Amino acid sequence: MTYPGDDPNPLTFPSGIPLLDKAAQAPHPADNEILIITGRSGAGRSGAARALEDLDWYVVDNLPPTLIPAVIGMMTPSGEGVHRLGLVVDVRSGAFFNDLLTILDELRDGGLPYRLIFLEADDETIVRRYESNRRPHPLQDEGTILDGIHAEDRLLAPIRARADEIIDTTHMNVHDLSRHIRDVVAGEKDRPLQLTVMSFGFKYGLPMDANHVLDVRFLKNPYWVGELRHLTGRDAPVAEYVLNQPGARDFGLQYADLLAPMLRGYLSELKPFATVAVGCTGGKHRSVALAELIAERLRQHGFTVRISHRDLGRE
């Protein structure tokens, strides 16, 4: 396992230097979300950050606490920009980490709600993770990994007491942690599967990014019908010729029906992309017609489908 302005009281650095005025602060929390992640080194902060990135959050790792208000100031009320912000803060920021409690108080006093997530794992698991990575604990100095863990615990104790949620990753792998982080931010819908149905020609090579490849060269080829040769599978005469062959339409529909539960399973296993490639000889007639049919059937199953005809423009 591997983890290793008009406001009379503007936000300030702990030194008292004004940092943000009200106009520069993030908009109302109904528009934006702020998640602050901290916890024991080796408990999976980087894995949690990657999980947030996969959910389209803007994530900043190893952020000194004094820069938190400035980064929050990037958030925008609408349109393009940063609306969901994940900040990973930990003892790697050295002496700056001591300012975290003060910054958290200032954010709340300034009307900027956030959620504080604390990650931890038992001592044995932390030690094992550091030994497997062959890296020292950031607070180990000349001592042992356990010395570093205990020194860190003394710094983290008041932060842990403030946490909105504590996640114990002792018995989690990276996929378990990703699922848990997704549940933490589950006020939103799960990220939809980004599904592509692609037609292609075998003579031009297999698509490198295909998860499923369907060979439809068992169907009669419209290329050998003179009045159809210059058309494509997107033209009605070709589509009818292909799909009206015995069993062809049922084959395409049943193939899509078979794919549907598998594609839903991809999301539960944190796989957000899938490509279904449908191939014939040249990628112009049969594969195009079947790809269009399969894409439409998958839309009926509730998927958002992008269709691509890779080799349609080739001679």
Side-chain angles (χ1 to χ4, degrees):
M1 184 62 192
T2 302
Y3 285 115
D6 294 327
D7 194 335
N9 298 302
L11 291 174
T12 62
F13 280 113
S15 62
I17 302 173
L19 179 60
L20 288 175
D21 60 23
K22 189 173 183 178
Q25 294 177 24
H28 192 275
D31 299 315
N32 290 327
E33 297 179 76
I34 303 167
L35 196 64
I36 299 175
I37 298 174
T38 190
R40 287 182 128 191
S41 299
R45 294 184 311 258
S46 295
R50 288 192 294 269
L52 285 177
E53 288 176 339
D54 290 342
L55 292 168
D56 291 330
W57 284 59
Y58 185 91
V59 179
V60 183
D61 195 359
N62 194 16
L63 182 70
T66 47
L67 295 182
I68 289 176
V71 176
I72 291 175
M74 300 188 311
M75 302 182 78
T76 55
S78 61
E80 296 183 358
V82 177
H83 305 286
R84 296 183 297 180
L85 180 63
L87 306 175
V88 181
V89 183
D90 56 78
V91 297
R92 290 174 296 172
S93 56
F96 292 112
F97 186 76
N98 297 326
D99 298 324
L100 181 55
L101 282 174
T102 302
I103 295 297
L104 295 179
D105 288 338
E106 290 176 346
L107 292 180
R108 287 262 160 87
D109 293 344
L112 293 174
Y114 58 85
R115 283 184 288 170
L116 178 63
I117 307 300
F118 189 97
L119 302 182
E120 64 183 13
D122 63 30
D123 289 357
E124 181 181 351
T125 299
I126 297 291
V127 171
R128 185 172 65 250
R129 290 173 181 173
Y130 270 102
E131 287 181 340
S132 66
N133 288 331
R134 299 184 180 181
R135 298 181 62 189
H137 188 282
L139 297 185
Q140 182 174 342
D141 294 327
E142 300 299 321
T144 66
I145 294 175
L146 274 174
D147 291 333
I149 291 173
H150 296 155
E152 183 178 47
D153 285 343
R154 290 190 289 272
L155 291 175
L156 292 175
I159 306 298
R160 188 182 187 280
R162 297 273 295 270
D164 296 296
E165 180 163 350
I166 298 172
I167 302 174
D168 188 340
T169 69
T170 299
H171 302 293
M172 292 185 182
N173 58 35
V174 290
H175 303 298
D176 295 331
L177 178 57
S178 293
R179 291 188 190 94
H180 198 104
I181 292 298
R182 186 176 61 184
D183 291 340
V184 167
V185 298
E188 61 195 89
K189 293 183 179 179
D190 287 343
R191 183 177 180 177
L193 180 69
Q194 299 185 44
L195 177 60
T196 299
V197 175
M198 173 191 297
S199 68
F200 72 97
F202 277 96
K203 70 179 183 179
Y204 302 115
L206 288 169
M208 294 184 62
D209 57 349
N211 302 101
H212 301 271
V213 177
L214 177 62
D215 185 351
V216 298
R217 289 176 294 183
F218 66 93
L219 297 170
K220 291 181 181 179
N221 193 349
Y223 179 85
W224 302 113
V225 179
E227 61 268 27
L228 300 180
R229 179 176 298 185
H230 67 288
L231 302 176
T232 76
R234 290 190 297 186
D235 295 310
V238 172
E240 292 173 2
Y241 179 91
V242 172
L243 299 178
N244 287 340
Q245 295 180 40
R249 186 181 302 274
D250 286 343
F251 173 80
L253 295 176
Q254 291 172 17
Y255 180 78
D257 293 344
L258 182 65
L259 280 177
M262 183 184 304
L263 296 173
R264 294 189 184 97
Y266 281 171
L267 278 178
S268 66
E269 288 302 308
L270 309 178
K271 179 178 175 61
F273 307 96
T275 298
V276 177
V278 183
C280 62
T281 303
K284 183 176 180 181
H285 298 105
R286 293 166 290 178
S287 63
V288 173
L290 264 295
E292 292 282 349
L293 178 69
I294 291 168
E296 182 57 33
R297 185 66 157 196
L298 289 172
R299 292 187 183 105
Q300 294 172 9
H301 279 282
F303 294 100
T304 299
V305 184
R306 168 184 173 267
I307 193 158
S308 171
H309 299 299
R310 191 192 72 176
D311 300 324
L312 198 57
R314 295 179 183 262
E315 293 297 330

